[in-house]
Amino acid sequence: MNKKKKGIKLFCEFVIPPMLIWALVVIMPLIYGIYLTFTDWNGLSTTYNMVGVQNYIDIFQDKTFLSSLGKTFVYVFFVVVLSNVIGIALAVLLTYGIKLQGVFRTCFFAANMIGGIIMGYIWNYIFSFAVTKVGETMGWEALETSMLTKPTTALIALIIVTVWQMSGYLMVIYVAGLTNISSEMLEAAEIDGATGTQLFRYIKLPMIRSSVTICTFMAISKAFMSFDVNLSLTSGGPYKSTELLALKIYQTAFSNFEYGKGQAEAVVLFIIVAIVSLIQVSTSKKKEVQA
């Protein structure tokens, strides 16, 4: 009985307080946010009216929202694919035992330590002045004009910056997965005549599928929620050609003072991320079992 009472006491002391804090910080704001999607609150007034599902109807009739949604899917696809491919490539390269590989790992990971806002301003300067100066010096017309000034290339620039930052972080996870592979297994395969490509395809890649699942999930969630880099690098321009969904939600709620509609857009984004992430994780888990 004393052990049971002690267990209950420990549960109340160490489990209930974090659960209450989590509920106050996450669950209650989520429920209240969903409630606000059924109102016409502008974010400032003390009164508002209930409008039902009109906000949801409006956002799917809003061409700018649908355009932002389409751009976001394009952005997410390329960021997830490129950051994972580059992350795996760097991890494989930096687990071969080359000289100063620890220094190289630190250098590649350092990009992730830069805050999104600061990184956006840094790359804005690079695209606007450094790259254009190189283009002028070398006589390359394609680089003489900043990529950020053209609707056709601004989104590419945004993808480049995000991939540059995210690849180093994913590399660390892949390095951890590759270093956990049994060296005896790799040596046996090499003795049997397996080439480097065969080692990666048939042994290393199947053995790090759990790392692939984690990295893909993290890349998807971070790319869908991209806001700070989008704001500081392009501010959605030129002509809203790089206005991703998170920035669109911010503009709707805090610039247009349509908080109810902005919150509805946020709920839609949350549902999309949840569905895509669940599909990705379930699909990847099946492949892990097969491996």
Side-chain angles (χ1 to χ4, degrees):
M1 181 63 69
N2 291 334
K3 289 184 178 180
K4 186 176 180 180
K5 289 182 177 179
K6 186 177 181 180
I8 294 173
K9 181 181 179 181
L10 290 173
F11 179 84
C12 294
E13 290 177 351
F14 292 100
V15 178
I16 292 181
M19 289 180 64
L20 289 175
I21 295 172
W22 180 72
L24 289 171
V25 174
V26 178
I27 300 300
M28 291 184 65
L30 176 63
I31 295 173
Y32 184 62
I34 294 174
Y35 165 75
L36 289 176
T37 64
F38 301 106
T39 71
D40 63 353
W41 188 42
N42 62 9
L44 296 174
S45 65
T46 57
T47 60
Y48 49 79
N49 301 311
M50 300 297 296
V51 295
V53 296
Q54 188 59 45
N55 285 325
Y56 292 96
I57 296 173
D58 289 343
I59 63 175
F60 284 107
Q61 292 178 344
D62 185 356
K63 292 182 180 180
T64 58
F65 173 81
L66 297 178
S67 177
S68 295
L69 182 61
K71 293 183 184 72
T72 301
F73 273 107
V74 173
Y75 170 82
V76 169
F77 174 80
F78 283 104
V79 166
V80 171
V81 173
L82 293 176
S83 61
N84 276 278
V85 170
I86 295 174
I88 291 177
L90 291 174
V92 172
L93 179 64
L94 298 177
T95 52
Y96 264 113
I98 63 175
K99 292 182 179 180
L100 301 176
Q101 67 179 19
V103 175
F104 286 118
R105 291 178 188 176
T106 303
C107 292
F108 285 121
F109 179 76
N112 191 71
M113 304 299 292
I114 304 174
I117 295 292
I118 300 300
M119 185 178 67
Y121 286 126
I122 292 172
W123 275 92
N124 190 303
Y125 177 84
I126 292 173
F127 282 123
S128 300
F129 298 100
V131 175
T132 54
K133 189 64 176 178
V134 171
E136 292 173 1
T137 303
M138 302 300 294
W140 296 337
E141 294 184 5
L143 299 180
E144 290 180 1
T145 305
S146 174
M147 294 177 67
L148 303 178
T149 62
K150 301 177 182 178
T152 54
T153 57
L155 185 61
I156 297 175
L158 185 59
I159 292 171
I160 291 172
V161 174
T162 307
V163 170
W164 175 81
Q165 183 188 39
M166 194 178 298
S167 298
Y169 181 74
L170 301 184
M171 175 204 68
V172 174
I173 300 175
Y174 285 125
V175 166
L178 289 169
T179 52
N180 285 330
I181 299 176
S182 172
S183 58
E184 289 81 5
M185 183 187 302
L186 297 175
E187 290 174 1
E190 289 177 349
I191 293 173
D192 289 338
T195 64
T197 303
Q198 291 173 331
L199 282 174
F200 175 75
R201 180 178 179 182
Y202 297 108
I203 297 180
K204 291 183 178 180
L205 188 57
M207 294 296 290
I208 63 169
R209 287 198 181 276
S210 59
S211 298
V212 174
T213 300
I214 295 170
C215 289
T216 305
F217 171 79
M218 295 180 66
I220 288 174
S221 58
K222 187 172 182 179
F224 267 113
M225 301 297 181
S226 181
F227 171 76
D228 45 6
V229 177
N230 191 191
L231 178 65
S232 58
L233 183 64
T234 65
S235 296
Y239 312 113
K240 295 185 179 296
S241 60
T242 60
E243 187 179 67
L244 302 180
L245 204 51
L247 182 58
K248 166 63 177 171
I249 293 169
Y250 172 84
Q251 298 287 3
T252 301
F254 299 106
S255 296
N256 301 338
F257 298 104
E258 297 178 290
Y259 198 91
K261 184 178 178 181
Q263 189 64 35
E265 293 175 349
V267 170
V268 171
L269 175 60
F270 171 79
I271 294 172
I272 291 173
V273 175
I275 292 173
V276 173
S277 299
L278 286 173
I279 293 173
Q280 176 265 317
V281 171
S282 61
T283 304
S284 299
K285 286 293 183 182
K286 291 179 181 178
K287 291 182 180 180
E288 286 181 33
V289 173
Q290 292 174 359

